[in-house]
C-alpha cells in the first residue's frame, strides 16, 4: 500500500486566552495557569495563545495583576512551545488609535517578554492600520500573522477575500488567519473560502472560529480537508459555547488520517482534569453562565458575535428597556450598513451595537450619537469596505471634512507624554505601555502595587514569585 502523504494539522491552544475570555469574562488568573504549564508544554501544540485580547485590560482592572509579569512567567514555563498573542493593530489592546511610536514599542516589549507569534487584526480589515505593527513584529524577529475578520455582506465576496489575502502576502506577513469571531463560517463555506485563499496565497492559513452557532468543529473538518494548515481549539472543559471547538475532539477526529496531530490523548486528558474544577467552580459562582454554553442560532440569523448579544442585553437592562431587544437586533444590520458594512468585532461591534441601542431608545435614528459613531463616520478608524450612507454621515458630522488617510498619520508621537504622566509610578519600562492603553486603570493598579509592597516591607516580590 502506498504511504499516505502526511500533513498533520497544527493546533493553537486557546485555553489561556480566548477560551476564558469567551466563557469566564477573562478572569482566569496567572496562579490558575501556572501549575498546568509544564504538561501543556509537552503536548506539541503549534502555539499556545495566552496573551493580548482582553487579558491585558482584565489583569490590570479586575485581577490586580501585572500583565507583563504574567507573560514573563508563562514564558519561563513554556520552554518548547511558541506563545501567541492577539493584537488589535493600531488599537494595540485598547479601543482607540495610538501613535506609531506606542505601537512599535508595544510590539517590541511583547516580543522581548516572550511572545513568538503576534496575531494582528483591524476591526475594519483596513490593512493600513496593520502596517506599523507588522513592520515592528518583523523588525523584532517575531512571526507576524494577519487576521482577517470574517463577516458576511454584499461586499464580502470570494474575490474580496482572495484580493486582500494577496495584499497581506505582499505586506510581508508570515501567515494569515481567518478570524471568525461570530461563528458565521459554516462548513461548506469554509471549504470554499480556504480553497480560494490557497489559490491566491502561499502563506499558511489558520482558521479561528467560535462554537456559538454549533457548526464550528464541522467547519474545521471541511477547512482542513480543503488545505487549512492551522486550527484554534480549547481544552474541553473550556470549549464549546461561545468558545472554540474542543482540542481533544479535533485531535481524535484526525487520528489515523494524513492530518493526524500525533498528540498524546492521555496527556490531554490530564490537562483536561486540571481545568475541569475551574469550570465547575465558575458554574457554581455564576462566572460561567450555562446560557453561553448552548447553541445560539441567533448569531447566524443576526450575524452578530455572541459577546455582542450579551452586551446588548445588559445595555437594555440598564435602560429598563429589555422589551426592545428584537427591535435593537433588527437595527444592528441597518446601522452596520450605514457605517460601510464593517465586520462586527472589538471595537466596531461596540460602536455599532451602542448606536443601534440609541437609535431605538431615542425613537429617532441618529438623534443621539456616540463620540465613536462620529469618529467612524469621520474616517478616523480607517476605511470601510463599502461607502458610508451619505445622509447619515451628513446628519452626524455636519460640515466637518472626513479624513481619508491612514488615521495614525495624523497622530503625533505619544510616548514622551505618557512617560511623563506615569513617571511617579514607574517600576519597569513596560509600565508606560500599561499606562498608555488604560491610564486610569493602570494608575489604580500602580497605587495598589505600591501599597502591597509597603505593606510587606518590600518582601512582596519574593512572596509573589512562583516556582516555574
Ligand atoms: Co476569538
Amino acid at each position: 500500500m502506498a504511504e499516505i502523504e502526511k500533513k498533520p494539522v497544527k493546533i493553537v491552544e486557546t485555553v489561556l486566552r480566548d477560551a476564558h475570555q469567551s466563557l469566564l469574562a477573562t478572569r482566569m488568573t496567572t496562579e490558575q495557569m501556572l501549575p498546568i504549564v509544564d504538561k501543556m508544554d509537552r503536548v506539541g501544540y503549534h502555539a499556545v495563545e495566552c496573551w493580548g485580547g482582553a487579558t491585558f485590560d482584565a489583569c490590570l482592572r479586575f485581577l490586580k495583576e501585572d500583565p507583563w509579569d504574567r507573560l514573563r512567567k508563562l514564558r519561563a514555563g513554556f520552554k518548547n512551545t511558541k506563545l501567541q498573542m492577539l493584537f488589535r493593530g493600531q488599537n494595540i489592546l485598547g479601543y482607540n488609535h495610538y501613535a506609531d511610536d506606542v505601537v512599535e514599542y508595544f510590539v517590541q516589549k511583547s516580543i522581548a517578554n516572550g511572545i513568538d507569534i503576534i496575531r494582528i487584526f483591524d476591526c475594519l480589515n483596513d490593512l493600513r492600520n496593520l502596517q506599523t505593527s507588522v513592520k515592528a513584529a518583523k523588525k523584532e524577529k517575531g512571526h507576524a500573522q494577519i487576521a482577517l475578520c470574517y463577516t458576511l455582506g454584499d461586499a464580502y465576496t470570494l474575490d474580496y477575500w482572495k484580493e486582500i489575502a494577496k495584499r497581506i502576502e505582499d505586506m510581508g506577513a508570515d501567515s494569515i488567519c481567518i478570524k471568525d469571531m461570530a461563528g458565521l463560517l459554516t462548513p461548506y463555506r469554509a471549504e470554499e473560502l480556504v480553497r480560494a485563499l490557497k489559490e491566491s496565497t502561499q502563506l499558511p492559513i489558520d482558521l479561528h472560529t467560535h462554537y456559538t452557532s454549533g457548526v464550528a468543529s464541522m467547519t474545521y473538518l471541511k477547512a482542513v480537508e480543503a488545505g487549512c494548515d492551522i486550527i484554534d481549539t480549547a481544552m474541553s472543559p473550556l470549549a464549546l459555547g461561545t468558545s472554540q471547538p474542543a482540542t481533544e475532539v479535533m485531535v481524535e477526529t484526525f487520528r489515523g488520517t494524513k492530518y493526524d496531530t500525533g498528540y498524546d490523548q492521555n496527556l490531554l486528558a490530564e490537562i483536561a482534569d486540571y481545568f475541569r474544577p475551574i469550570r465547575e467552580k465558575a458554574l457554581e459562582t455564576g462566572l460561567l453562565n450555562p446560557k453561553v454554553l448552548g447553541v445560539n442560532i441567533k448569531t447566524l440569523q443576526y450575524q452578530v458575535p455572541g459577546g455582542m448579544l450579551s452586551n446588548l442585553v445588559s445595555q437594555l437592562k440598564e435602560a429598563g428597556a429589555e422589551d426592545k431587544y428584537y427591535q435593537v437586533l433588527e437595527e444592528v444590520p441597518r446601522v452596520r450598513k450605514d457605517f460601510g458594512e464593517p465586520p462586527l468585532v472589538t471595537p466596531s461591534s461596540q460602536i455599532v451595537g451602542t448606536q443601534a441601542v440609541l437609535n431605538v431608545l431615542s425613537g429617532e435614528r441618529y438623534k443621539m450619537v456616540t463620540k465613536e459613531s462620529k469618529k467612524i463616520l469621520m474616517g478616523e478608524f480607517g476605511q470601510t469596505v463599502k461607502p458610508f450612507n451619505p445622509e447619515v454621515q451628513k446628519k452626524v458630522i455636519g460640515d466637518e471634512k472626513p479624513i481619508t488617510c491612514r488615521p495614525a498619520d495624523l497622530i503625533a508621537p505619544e510616548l514622551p507624554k505618557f512617560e511623563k504622566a506615569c513617571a511617579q509610578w514607574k517600576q519597569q519600562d513596560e509600565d508606560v505601555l500599561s499606562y498608555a492603553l488604560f491610564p486610569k486603570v493602570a494608575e489604580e493598579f500602580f497605587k495598589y502595587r505600591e501599597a502591597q509592597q509597603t505593606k510587606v516591607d518590600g518582601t512582596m516580590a519574593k512572596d509573589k514569585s512562583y516556582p516555574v
Side-chain angles (χ1 to χ4, degrees):
M1 217 173 87
E3 268 290 293
I4 38 166
E5 175 221 353
K6 291 216 163 49
K7 191 190 179 264
V9 62
K10 294 175 177 165
I11 288 189
V12 175
E13 172 60 56
T14 67
V15 71
L16 302 183
R17 205 286 297 177
D18 203 350
H20 77 101
Q21 181 173 326
S22 298
L23 297 180
L24 309 180
T26 333
R27 296 298 204 279
M28 201 189 287
T29 62
T30 306
E31 203 174 339
Q32 285 176 309
M33 297 175 181
L34 294 178
I36 197 62
V37 161
D38 187 46
K39 276 186 183 160
M40 288 178 70
D41 196 33
R42 280 187 264 142
V43 172
Y45 291 124
H46 169 65
V48 169
E49 189 196 48
C50 61
W51 211 64
T55 64
F56 195 91
D57 188 356
C59 268
L60 290 168
R61 194 185 300 262
F62 304 115
L63 305 175
K64 295 284 173 257
E65 279 189 28
D66 177 14
W68 300 99
D69 192 46
R70 169 182 292 184
L71 175 55
R72 288 188 286 265
K73 283 174 174 150
L74 290 170
R75 179 70 284 169
F78 281 107
K79 294 182 170 60
N80 307 302
T81 311
K82 289 193 170 122
L83 300 185
Q84 183 171 314
M85 75 173 289
L86 181 66
F87 194 95
R88 297 186 195 120
Q90 210 70 28
N91 301 341
I92 310 180
L93 304 175
Y95 310 102
N96 278 304
H97 274 62
Y98 292 92
D100 287 335
D101 63 341
V102 183
V103 175
E104 283 158 4
Y105 196 43
F106 204 103
V107 168
Q108 186 195 327
K109 283 297 181 186
S110 301
I111 292 175
N113 281 287
I115 290 295
D116 299 289
I117 302 173
I118 307 193
R119 171 177 294 169
I120 310 165
F121 77 97
D122 174 64
C123 73
L124 305 182
N125 286 337
D126 182 346
L127 298 185
R128 299 174 307 171
N129 292 334
L130 307 177
Q131 277 165 8
T132 301
S133 26
V134 169
K135 225 185 261 167
K138 299 307 296 170
K139 187 170 164 233
E140 302 300 323
K141 308 254 182 306
H143 177 117
Q145 178 180 79
I146 291 187
L148 283 174
C149 300
Y150 180 76
T151 189
L152 301 168
D154 299 342
Y156 301 94
T157 60
L158 279 183
D159 283 337
Y160 166 84
W161 298 115
K162 279 166 82 165
E163 201 262 327
I164 199 166
K166 189 88 208 89
R167 282 166 56 209
I168 285 173
E169 187 166 342
D170 293 343
M171 273 175 76
D174 297 294
S175 62
I176 178 166
C177 170
I178 306 162
K179 179 177 161 63
D180 177 25
M181 53 282 161
L184 299 177
L185 194 53
T186 51
Y188 289 95
R189 270 183 198 257
E191 180 182 33
E192 195 180 53
L193 178 60
V194 170
R195 283 235 173 90
L197 291 179
K198 281 283 171 188
E199 276 171 26
S200 76
T201 172
Q202 302 284 321
L203 295 180
I205 294 175
D206 184 332
L207 178 57
H208 175 91
T209 187
H210 287 252
Y211 211 83
T212 325
S213 57
V215 298
S217 45
M218 293 183 281
T219 299
Y220 279 162
L221 178 61
K222 295 307 283 183
V224 168
E225 286 177 355
C228 176
D229 304 274
I230 309 160
I231 54 175
D232 293 9
T233 64
M235 286 306 300
S236 58
L238 292 179
L240 311 187
T242 47
S243 174
Q244 271 78 51
T247 306
E248 304 95 302
V249 173
M250 295 318 300
V251 165
E252 207 52 34
T253 299
F254 294 116
R255 188 171 306 284
T257 72
K258 70 188 252 197
Y259 309 110
D260 197 335
T261 60
Y263 296 176
D264 177 356
Q265 201 62 266
N266 293 322
L267 178 59
L268 291 176
E270 287 175 35
I271 297 168
D273 286 344
Y274 176 81
F275 284 108
R276 204 164 294 112
I278 293 177
R279 171 197 175 94
E280 298 303 326
K281 179 98 189 287
L283 277 167
E284 260 169 51
T285 59
L287 179 61
L288 174 55
N289 185 341
K291 265 191 193 159
V292 303
L293 294 172
V295 167
N296 187 342
I297 215 69
K298 281 199 199 95
T299 60
L300 286 181
Q301 241 179 316
Y302 297 101
Q303 302 174 8
V304 296
M308 188 175 161
L309 288 174
S310 49
N311 271 344
L312 291 178
V313 171
S314 57
Q315 282 182 14
L316 287 172
K317 224 181 216 169
E318 257 172 56
E322 281 164 282
D323 58 315
K324 300 278 199 310
Y325 181 62
Y326 287 97
Q327 255 175 282
V328 170
L329 273 185
E330 277 158 26
E331 177 64 6
V332 166
R334 287 197 288 260
V335 173
R336 184 177 165 232
K337 262 218 150 81
D338 293 339
F339 287 6
E341 218 171 41
L344 296 175
V345 63
T346 307
S348 58
S349 51
Q350 286 87 334
I351 301 171
V352 169
T354 305
Q355 191 57 51
V357 169
L358 287 178
N359 283 358
V360 169
L361 293 190
S362 69
E364 184 193 326
R365 307 187 73 225
Y366 305 104
K367 185 175 161 194
M368 286 161 68
V369 285
T370 62
K371 211 170 70 203
E372 284 75 20
S373 293
K374 191 175 168 198
K375 273 174 102 170
I376 273 217
L377 294 169
M378 280 291 293
E380 286 173 24
F381 278 96
Q383 196 177 19
T384 48
V385 57
K386 285 246 179 158
F388 303 126
N389 176 338
E391 281 162 40
V392 169
Q393 191 186 27
K394 176 88 187 148
K395 183 163 182 184
V396 174
I397 72 170
D399 290 330
E400 284 185 68
K401 202 172 149 31
I403 65 162
T404 53
C405 64
R406 186 185 73 110
D409 284 340
L410 302 175
I411 310 175
E414 293 175 304
L415 266 182
K417 162 183 97 186
F418 291 130
E419 285 283 5
K420 216 168 146 193
C422 78
Q424 60 167 315
W425 310 107
K426 200 169 151 183
Q427 295 188 2
Q428 56 176 351
D429 289 348
E430 291 80 0
D431 285 345
V432 68
L433 293 165
S434 306
Y435 183 84
L437 264 53
F438 304 105
K440 276 207 193 88
V441 174
E443 193 177 314
E444 254 169 55
F445 169 74
F446 296 152
K447 282 182 191 161
Y448 167 85
R449 183 174 64 183
E450 272 189 11
Q452 291 299 104
Q453 286 159 341
T454 29
K455 209 158 72 189
V456 291
D457 285 323
T459 55
M460 191 64 193
K462 199 169 151 231
D463 292 348
K464 276 200 100 180
S465 68
Y466 295 89
V468 287

